[in-house]
Each structure stands twice: as C-alpha cells, then as structure tokens.
Amino acid sequence: MDFGAVLQTNPPSARTVQLAKLAEAHGFTYVWTFDSHILWQEPYVIYSQILAETRKVIVGPMVTNPATRDWTVTASTYATLNEMYGNRTVCGIGRGDSAVRVTNGKPTTLKDLRESIHVIRELANSRSVEYGGAQLQLPWSKGSELEMWVAAYGPLALKLTGEVGDGFILQLADLDIAAWMIKKVRDAAEAVGRDPMSIKFCVAAPMYIGDDIEHMRDQCRWFGGMVGNHVADIVKKYGSDGDVPKALTDYIEKREGYDYNQHGQAGNTHAAFVPDEIVDRFCIMGTAEQHIEKLEKLRELGVDQFAGYLQHDNKEETMRVYGETVIPALTETVTAKA
C-alpha cells in the first residue's frame, strides 16, 4: 500500500513545503493538496518548490476541477513540472466543490468532467488531442506521463470513473461504503472492456494518532461536513432511498447550510450536525495499532493508497508514528504475503 499526505496550502508556503519534505522523510510517497484558489494559495506554484526540495514524492491536487482552469493550461502545467522534475505528478479531479461554490458557481456536468479528463491526459502525456475544433499538441513536451484519478461518490460519477479513470479517489474511510463504491467502479470498468484491476484505488480521510477520542473527533469532524456537501447533491438527485448506501445519506438530515470560509478547518461550526459515529467511520483515529487494523481491512478491499488529511493540531506526530510504525507494518505485511 502507498501512503499520501493531504495538505492545505495555507500561508506561509514554506510551511507547506516543510510538511511535504517531512512526509517524504517518513515514507509517504504522495503529497496531495487542496485546490481552491480563493480559499488557499495557488498549489501548482507550491508544487514546483516541493518537487525541487524532495527526491521521489509524487504531487497533485485532491482535487482540481474542469471549471476554474482552462484544460489546456492545466495540461501544460503538468507537462512543465514533469519536464523540470521528472514524471512526479498526478492529477486528482472531480466536478468541483469549494473552488467553484465560493464564487457562486456550480459543479460541472459529468460530460464536461469526462471530456476534461481526456483532454488533460492526452496533452500531459505528450499526445495530440482535439479541443475546441482544433487538433492540439504541446510541441515541446516529450515523454511526459500523467495519471488522471477521479474523485466520485454518486452512481453516475462512479460509472464514469470506471470507464475512464486511471485511479479512483474515495474521500472517506468507511469500510462498507468503500466496498460498495469499489465494486461499482470495477463493474463499470468491466462493462466497457477495461481490466477492472488496472484502476488504482485511493482512500483519503483524516488520520490522527492519539488516545483522546473526544479531542480527535472534534479535530476531524470538519471532514464529515465536507463530505456532506457532496452527499447533499446526491440526495437531491437520487433521493435518500436511491442506489446509495444509507450509511452515506442518513447523517445529513440535520445539515443546515455550509460556510466555505471554514472549509477543511478543525472546529468548523457548520459541521456540528456530524455525529460521532460518522467521524469514527469516515476517519482513521487512535493508536498506531488501530490505524494498522483499519488500513489492513481497506487493503483487503483493494485499496492501493491511503492518503491522510492533516488538517488538525497533530500533524508532525501523526506523520512520525506513520513513518516509524504504520507504514512499515503495512509494507511488511505485503512483503510477507508476497
């Protein structure tokens, strides 16, 4: 299993770079960041510095969207970073949440998401593609490689992921929901003739090493509020009795709006509706042994990477324990079984 660290690009940018370097030192192979250009600093600028000050770690957004950036600009940015630092980038992409909603916009259609994935992937892999009625290629790009990982929750988005995604990002660590969604993605891949095992699966959720469960819950409750934004869209489209697990839809009944100025922040006052049970199910909290136990179950479901959100007050210690205990335990388990 690979491990990623998910950071916010809060100023000072040097702090983000420092945390990325620390993540690599502790054995994390991916560094992801939020991509919301109004709420936080521009991630692609910071990626360049992270790549310059690290050796192997792969960087990318969790997640970008097709609306706030021209697709050809996005592709050119990745191809440029790959030329500068080797092929050490990945693109996580979805329909859009905070980046579009904070400007009173809306998530894009699945049609636009599908088309953007194709355009960005072709150009950023040094290939030609039709875009806007023109045949385009980055003439200076040679040998660039970029995988497109799709973030999804709803049935149609999961279907799209299975049909076109190189990877699937599931932003919660609930075992039952993960099993349901992984099956949906694999079934969709198989239906269009793709190898369902070729799609990489990443579970992303807050990780917190500690023993004060109430404090850890309070620090991670924001995540249930963030997920609730996507769930609310799903319920609006499919209803609460649709083809979506009840564990994912029931908890938003008491949701009352959301302030994106507190998006992804510990202590978010608009996440008070999230019950303790959901925090426990969606996140990974507790001792190293408790983390290892849940991660082993996720790996058995087919999860290839766990990306841990670090939007809390215990970033360095959590990464240290992961580097010294959790990551080696999962690596040794795989090696032993191999």
Side-chain angles (χ1 to χ4, degrees):
M1 179 181 280
D2 284 325
F3 289 85
V6 187
L7 309 174
Q8 279 180 343
T9 54
N10 291 307
S13 56
R15 168 70 167 152
T16 306
V17 176
Q18 177 192 40
L19 289 171
K21 292 169 64 177
L22 190 60
E24 181 176 67
H26 285 311
F28 291 83
T29 51
Y30 285 76
V31 170
W32 304 87
T33 74
F34 286 54
D35 176 13
S36 197
H37 60 293
I38 301 295
L39 297 178
W40 303 291
Q41 292 180 318
E42 171 57 38
Y44 290 100
V45 176
I46 297 174
Y47 292 161
S48 188
Q49 191 66 24
I50 290 173
L51 290 167
E53 296 193 27
T54 56
R55 295 173 53 249
K56 296 180 180 180
V57 73
I58 296 170
V59 303
M62 187 174 283
V63 294
T64 193
N65 69 85
T68 54
R69 306 174 191 275
D70 181 90
W71 307 343
T72 63
V73 173
T74 297
S76 180
T77 301
Y78 282 110
T80 300
L81 290 172
N82 284 341
E83 189 279 327
M84 293 174 69
Y85 303 108
N87 291 316
R88 293 170 56 198
T89 61
V90 63
C91 181
I93 191 167
R95 294 175 57 216
D97 184 31
S98 62
V100 294
R101 296 187 201 264
V102 78
T103 57
N104 291 324
K106 296 180 179 180
T108 63
T109 64
L110 289 175
K111 178 177 181 293
D112 281 347
L113 177 59
R114 182 187 295 269
E115 292 177 358
S116 72
I117 290 169
H118 176 65
V119 169
I120 294 169
R121 177 162 47 205
E122 294 308 293
L123 290 175
N125 280 278
S126 304
R127 299 189 290 262
S128 66
V129 70
E130 184 178 337
Y131 176 73
Q135 196 69 28
L136 303 178
Q137 187 165 4
L138 303 175
W140 47 267
S141 177
K142 308 294 182 184
S144 177
E145 296 178 5
L146 179 72
E147 291 185 345
M148 301 295 294
W149 293 32
V150 187
Y153 289 104
L156 291 179
L158 294 169
K159 179 175 180 291
L160 179 152
T161 303
E163 291 172 350
V164 303
D166 297 307
F168 167 45
I169 296 172
L170 170 57
Q171 291 166 300
L172 53 81
D174 181 275
L175 296 172
D176 294 335
I177 295 173
W180 179 81
M181 291 191 174
I182 288 172
K183 184 178 187 303
K184 286 287 185 183
V185 171
R186 283 181 171 160
D187 288 348
E190 190 170 16
V192 296
R194 299 185 69 195
D195 177 4
M197 303 307 292
S198 68
I199 302 172
K200 297 176 182 178
F201 291 95
C202 172
V203 159
M207 58 178 181
Y208 195 121
I209 294 287
D211 55 16
D212 185 342
I213 186 61
E214 295 302 325
H215 180 73
M216 290 187 291
R217 285 171 176 162
D218 288 343
Q219 287 286 301
C220 298
R221 199 175 306 276
W222 65 267
F223 184 69
M226 184 185 81
V227 173
N229 297 326
H230 301 284
V231 176
D233 287 343
I234 294 170
V235 170
K236 184 177 180 180
K237 182 177 180 64
Y238 298 100
S240 59
D241 297 321
D243 185 23
V244 181
K246 297 288 274 184
L248 187 60
T249 60
D250 283 356
Y251 84 98
I252 68 163
E253 291 180 356
K254 297 181 180 179
R255 180 178 180 270
E256 299 178 354
Y258 190 82
D259 182 359
Y260 276 93
N261 290 310
Q262 299 183 45
H263 188 61
Q265 294 181 13
N268 184 333
T269 59
H270 290 75
F273 71 93
V274 181
D276 290 346
E277 178 191 2
I278 289 296
V279 181
D280 294 348
R281 292 181 67 166
F282 284 14
C283 307
I284 303 184
M285 304 174 297
T287 64
E289 291 71 24
Q290 289 172 313
H291 283 246
I292 291 167
E293 180 182 3
K294 190 165 186 178
L295 288 167
E296 285 180 337
K297 291 176 180 177
L298 286 168
R299 184 176 55 80
E300 289 171 2
L301 292 177
V303 174
D304 301 289
Q305 179 185 158
F306 172 65
Y309 284 89
L310 288 167
Q311 284 65 56
H312 55 63
D313 60 4
N314 199 33
K315 299 176 179 63
E316 285 87 351
E317 178 65 6
T318 294
M319 284 197 285
R320 182 191 69 80
V321 175
Y322 260 71
E324 293 182 1
T325 306
V326 179
I327 293 175
L330 269 295
T331 303
E332 289 168 6
T333 299
V334 172
T335 303
K337 290 187 176 182

